[in-house]
Amino acid sequence: MSFSEELEALVRLIDGGSSVSVAAAALGISVPRAYWLVRENRPGLLRRVSRTSLTDEHRALVVDEFTSSGSINKAAGVAGLSHGAARRILVRAGLVPAETATPGKAGARERFFILLEQGWSKDAASREVGIHPRTGQDWVLGVRKQGKSRIYPDGRVVDYRAPSGYSRGMNTVTTSRTGGRFLSLADRLVIADGVITGQSLTTIAALVHKSVSTISREVRAHSVNGLYLPHQADRDAAAARARPKAAKLLTNPELRAAVEHGLARRLSPEQISRRLVKEHPSDENMRVSHETIYQALYFQARGGLKREVQAALRSGRTRRKPHRHPDERTPRFATPMVMISDRPAEVDDRAVPGHWEGDLIMGTNNKSAIGTLVERSTRYTMLVHLPHGHDAEQVRDGLLEVIATLPQHLRGSLTWDQGSEMARHQQITMATDMQIYFCDPASPWQRGSNENTNGLLRQYFPKGTDLSIYGKEDLEHVAQELNGRPRKTLDWETPAERLRNLITI
């Protein structure tokens, strides 16, 4: 069917009352491609179905898509409905609990945690319930927002309205849930329970991992008529703790002027600190560490003096960048990765077939993608259709569908980079019995065959184009062309010929 015939048939079906998704299914094209055809050529046809025009067909589409994907958003998109309309259909069908489908933050929060229990990532669950990923992260960590402040579970309060002066700390502890050598409120409650039930001080000390003398002093100091008061003790301890003293640069105008002069000369904080020692060898008041200068600068940036910070520091940063030792890198995924350094030698020398390299090529604004798989010994290419996005769940399902077409002896391993789309790598390994190895960060050469193939694919899928308009048939056609090219590295045989020989062995 030509482009014009396809468009004409699509318009005819939509004019007849079919939704875009139903018309696309009738013509055998993808829903994203159908929307693209209509949007580019007949945008007036696009309309949102109202509540009064819901049909059994819409309800069936919503239920079928939600059953397969678990996403209300995707179910709404397939049926051409709003999120609210799809949600009401699913509530009536008994697929979504009514209490989690209530509009507003309470319903969104309830459904957010249900999705996490089902294995969704925080970002995907946030998008599904319609909140910002930062809000989802706060819900997981137990952070509360109160006005312009953020209250953390450990008692820290970050107030974004703090003045630009730095005579006070940025984080103010409002409760005494401290760690380390101090007693926390939780510890004091354990002590109170132990005293009431008649436990010995030695037993109580073992429960809270403190010395017996600490427990003895605590009980003696905060008991009234033989009754230990944990909450009163906690408030007294918080009031007795030393408060932050005024910053040195705030109370010493001469030292502050020297630091400002050094910053104006574009000296780094460490150069200023070291130079002050040489210029004032006998004046202890003219001493300041470079860390104190950094803290003063970054605290002012939070107060609105970003322009001054950018002029003072060569990096121009307005907030600190954490530095970690290579051995202290934050794990990329919740499940441990098997790194490429652990990959067997037989994979490296390409002597044994069945070992693959994979990646995504991205479309405009990274909103669409196509998965690419390249077999290392034959350079055979397979393309993964990702019509509904490229998050971890979509990539997992797309890879499982493609890998299922391979014979067992060609399912050796898969090497990928550390992109977030592979967060479900353990599920892929369990379903295919195919070990996944991860490249080192910023090391694309460790998947050289795949990188080269991605470059060839850009002849067909140029950068800056919407990749969602291509259907499975388009991807199959491109893969066949690539696999039919003779390769110098294969002694001018084609990848298809090499793979055919392996399959027929």
Side-chain angles (χ1 to χ4, degrees):
M1 184 183 296
S2 65
F3 177 86
S4 59
E5 292 174 340
E6 190 176 57
L7 176 61
E8 182 181 352
L10 185 63
V11 170
R12 186 168 57 251
L13 288 173
I14 295 175
D15 278 337
S18 297
S19 66
V20 177
S21 56
V22 173
L27 297 176
I29 62 177
S30 66
V31 174
R33 178 173 175 79
Y35 272 105
W36 177 81
L37 287 170
V38 175
R39 188 166 51 246
E40 294 295 325
N41 299 279
R42 294 289 297 277
L45 285 176
L46 291 178
R47 61 188 183 276
R48 186 179 293 277
V49 180
S50 66
R51 289 185 63 181
T52 57
S53 62
L54 290 178
T55 65
D56 291 339
E57 182 183 11
H58 294 128
R59 296 184 178 89
L61 286 172
V62 169
V63 171
D64 290 345
E65 178 61 27
F66 183 80
T67 303
S68 61
S69 67
S71 170
I72 299 178
N73 285 336
K74 292 177 182 176
V78 167
L81 301 174
S82 67
H83 178 93
R87 184 179 59 217
R88 287 190 292 272
I89 291 175
L90 294 171
V91 171
R92 294 190 186 102
L95 297 176
V96 174
E99 60 271 16
T100 66
T102 305
K105 182 172 288 187
R109 184 186 180 98
E110 186 73 19
R111 177 158 170 75
F112 174 81
F113 283 105
I114 290 177
L115 294 177
L116 292 185
E117 293 175 359
Q118 295 174 355
W120 289 52
S121 67
K122 290 191 290 292
D123 286 352
S126 299
R127 290 193 299 270
E128 173 67 15
V129 302
I131 60 173
H132 193 278
R134 177 66 181 271
T135 301
Q137 178 76 1
D138 285 349
W139 287 353
V140 171
L141 297 178
V143 178
R144 296 184 293 112
K145 293 184 68 176
Q146 183 175 358
K148 297 294 183 179
S149 301
R150 296 166 63 82
I151 305 173
Y152 288 77
D154 61 0
R156 289 182 299 122
V157 178
V158 179
D159 188 353
Y160 294 107
R161 298 167 298 180
S164 59
Y166 42 89
S167 60
R168 50 177 285 194
M170 290 169 59
N171 299 337
T172 303
V173 179
T174 57
T175 71
S176 65
R177 286 192 59 188
T178 55
R181 62 193 180 92
F182 297 102
L183 287 170
S184 67
L185 177 58
D187 294 335
R188 290 185 168 93
L189 292 174
V190 173
I191 294 173
D193 291 341
V195 171
I196 292 174
T197 57
Q199 294 179 341
S200 67
L201 297 183
T202 303
T203 302
I204 298 173
L207 292 175
V208 296
H209 305 288
K210 297 292 188 294
S211 68
V212 178
S213 59
T214 298
I215 306 302
S216 176
R217 286 193 300 269
E218 175 72 15
V219 173
R220 187 169 57 251
H222 300 288
S223 294
V224 176
N225 297 327
L227 180 63
Y228 174 70
L229 307 176
H231 291 281
Q232 182 61 49
D234 196 62
R235 287 191 292 270
D236 292 344
R241 282 202 304 271
R243 294 301 161 205
K245 64 180 180 179
K248 193 173 186 179
L249 290 177
L250 191 68
T251 58
N252 191 334
E254 185 181 359
L255 178 60
R256 180 185 178 91
V259 171
E260 290 177 344
H261 179 66
L263 293 173
R265 293 170 53 205
R266 301 184 184 279
L267 300 182
S268 71
E270 186 174 12
Q271 290 169 337
I272 295 172
S273 175
R274 300 293 183 180
R275 190 64 187 174
L276 285 172
V277 176
K278 290 186 174 295
E279 293 177 352
H280 306 276
S282 59
D283 190 353
E284 291 294 331
N285 291 326
M286 295 299 290
R287 301 282 192 275
V288 63
S289 69
H290 63 277
E291 176 63 24
T292 298
I293 300 175
Y294 274 119
Q295 289 183 1
L297 287 170
Y298 284 120
F299 185 80
Q300 292 185 49
R302 292 293 296 273
L305 300 181
K306 294 183 180 180
R307 190 172 303 171
E308 285 79 353
V309 176
Q310 291 173 349
L313 300 180
R314 285 193 291 267
S315 66
R317 294 193 196 100
T318 58
R319 59 178 60 193
R320 306 200 77 156
K321 180 180 179 181
H323 294 275
R324 293 188 180 93
H325 190 274
D327 296 336
E328 299 174 350
R329 289 180 59 88
T330 301
R332 188 69 179 87
F333 305 121
T335 52
M337 297 183 294
V338 181
M339 301 305 296
I340 194 171
S341 56
D342 298 323
R343 196 171 64 175
E346 67 180 28
V347 182
D348 294 333
D349 59 19
R350 303 177 188 267
V352 178
H355 298 286
W356 300 75
E357 296 175 2
D359 195 15
L360 299 181
I361 57 173
M362 309 303 297
T364 308
N365 298 325
N366 293 333
K367 292 183 178 179
S368 56
I370 295 174
T372 64
L373 293 175
V374 182
E375 204 282 318
R376 284 174 54 82
S377 65
T378 64
R379 275 63 169 186
Y380 188 84
T381 301
M382 301 177 73
L383 300 182
V384 182
H385 189 219
L386 302 171
H388 303 302
H390 51 89
D391 58 18
E393 290 76 18
Q394 300 297 334
V395 172
R396 175 200 61 196
D397 296 342
L399 286 175
L400 292 180
E401 181 180 354
V402 171
I403 293 174
T405 63
L406 295 172
Q408 190 62 43
H409 68 280
L410 290 181
R411 302 183 191 177
S413 70
L414 174 60
T415 302
W416 207 281
D417 62 19
Q418 296 187 29
S420 60
E421 69 274 4
M422 290 301 288
R424 299 289 181 264
H425 64 92
Q426 192 173 50
Q427 297 176 9
I428 300 173
T429 297
M430 294 176 62
T432 63
D433 197 24
M434 196 171 179
Q435 182 60 60
I436 298 178
Y437 298 100
F438 288 93
C439 299
D440 297 321
S443 303
W445 60 86
Q446 294 177 343
R447 314 176 348 271
S449 297
N450 186 250
E451 285 291 303
N452 176 265
T453 301
N454 289 347
L456 299 178
L457 287 170
R458 285 302 183 184
Q459 292 179 288
Y460 303 91
F461 311 114
K463 291 185 178 180
T465 57
D466 182 8
L467 301 182
S468 65
I469 65 175
Y470 299 102
K472 280 189 177 182
E473 297 79 8
D474 301 321
L475 301 190
E476 182 64 27
H477 173 71
V478 172
Q480 288 178 0
E481 282 204 4
L482 277 187
N483 294 327
R485 290 187 184 184
R487 305 290 182 88
K488 181 178 181 179
T489 188
L490 301 178
D491 195 20
W492 302 114
E493 291 185 11
T494 67
E497 292 171 343
R498 284 289 179 95
L499 188 73
R500 184 178 62 244
N501 294 337
L502 294 175
I503 295 176
T504 57
I505 290 177

